[in-house]
Amino acid sequence: MAVLTISRDIGSGGLELARRTAELTNYRIADKTVIEHIMREYGFVNFDKSYESSGSFFSAEEELTERTLSFLDQVLRAIAKTDNCIIVGRGGFAPLTGFTDAIHVRVTAPFSVRVDRVMRENDISNRFDAEQLVNRKDKARRGFLARYYGMRWEDSSPFDLVVDADTFGIEAIAQLLADTVTRLQKKKPNPPSVRDIVVDPILYEVAQKKLAETFETEKDL
């Protein structure tokens, strides 16, 4: 068994990659919607506000951000402990660094390709507006990692694979990840393993329930 985390530049196709890899591996996906649902059900202050305001110097927002993001770490670890899942975004690789059965992937693409995808997916007709959106999201992600984890978004060292989805294609990357997962499933993981993560049992139960619900919903689509 293994856990995948996929970090992606906006418009790079990272979510599409996660979905295709999930199809090939029979894995469950924990994306923004699933993660936020778990946080709300267990007890949550608005994460999106905290995420977007990362880098702010206002003390009240700083306190909210630190408290919320500390809780996010707990949720991400609870999700990882359920195993057989793909965590998309939300800095999922950071709290799971060092686990031998967690594979961390970063997906990127040329800026122009990312802007094109953002225009299509968000029905944006003005290219300048799409470029501004991409730049704003990039800035938020850089601020999030730098402030909370002390990491640079451009640093590739935390990742097992950094790949340009435009060059290699979603299908080829998904097949590579599926093959890697299959190979890991045949091996007994060396410690530390995600299965050994200690989390609150109620939080773990909430994570299991939501991931199972999402998996069944995706199968019915």
Side-chain angles (χ1 to χ4, degrees):
M1 305 301 183
V3 172
L4 293 175
T5 72
I6 295 181
S7 300
R8 79 274 194 225
D9 292 320
I10 182 174
S12 64
L15 184 56
E16 181 184 347
L17 173 63
R19 287 170 176 162
R20 181 56 183 143
T21 305
E23 290 174 358
L24 293 172
T25 57
N26 210 31
Y27 268 34
R28 300 159 300 174
I29 294 179
D31 61 6
K32 169 186 172 180
T33 302
V34 172
I35 293 169
E36 290 182 358
H37 180 97
I38 295 169
M39 294 179 81
R40 277 195 297 269
E41 187 166 333
Y42 189 74
F44 160 66
V45 212
N46 191 297
F47 174 68
D48 263 351
K49 177 180 177 182
S50 301
Y51 184 83
E52 294 295 342
S53 68
S54 290
S56 167
F57 293 101
F58 296 105
S59 59
E61 291 182 13
E62 244 176 35
E63 182 181 355
L64 173 64
T65 300
E66 295 300 324
R67 188 168 61 247
T68 305
L69 294 180
S70 176
F71 181 38
L72 172 65
D73 269 9
Q74 297 176 48
V75 171
L76 291 172
R77 286 174 173 259
I79 291 171
K81 187 177 176 66
T82 68
D83 218 343
N84 286 16
C85 65
I86 302 173
I87 299 174
V88 183
R90 294 306 186 243
F93 70 93
L96 299 176
T97 297
F99 289 98
T100 60
D101 46 0
I103 305 166
H104 306 300
V105 179
R106 180 179 170 191
V107 186
T108 187
F111 184 79
S112 61
V113 173
R114 295 165 55 207
V115 172
D116 288 343
R117 183 187 289 269
V118 166
M119 291 179 71
R120 290 195 307 271
E121 293 181 348
N122 296 273
D123 197 23
I124 299 175
S125 58
N126 187 298
R127 189 170 187 84
F128 177 78
D129 291 342
E131 290 175 346
Q132 291 293 98
L133 175 61
V134 170
N135 284 325
R136 186 168 66 250
K137 293 292 186 179
D138 284 352
K139 181 179 179 181
R141 290 174 183 181
R142 286 194 298 269
F144 171 73
L145 283 179
R147 176 177 171 184
Y148 190 61
Y149 293 113
M151 296 178 173
R152 292 176 62 252
W153 179 249
E154 298 79 7
D155 184 7
S156 62
S157 60
F159 300 98
D160 300 292
L161 176 68
V162 178
V163 63
D164 184 329
D166 186 57
T167 299
F168 291 91
I170 297 297
E171 185 64 26
I173 304 168
Q175 288 289 346
L176 173 62
L177 294 179
D179 290 344
T180 303
V181 166
T182 299
R183 189 169 63 253
L184 286 178
Q185 286 176 336
K186 297 176 181 178
K187 297 170 54 179
K188 181 178 180 180
N190 295 319
S193 165
V194 293
R195 302 177 199 177
D196 301 325
I197 293 174
V198 178
V199 295
D200 178 84
I202 297 177
L203 174 57
Y204 181 60
E205 183 179 338
V206 170
Q208 284 183 308
K209 177 184 175 183
K210 182 57 184 175
L211 284 167
E213 290 174 353
T214 304
F215 183 68
E216 290 302 319
T217 301
E218 290 289 337
K219 284 201 305 183
D220 293 338
L221 294 179

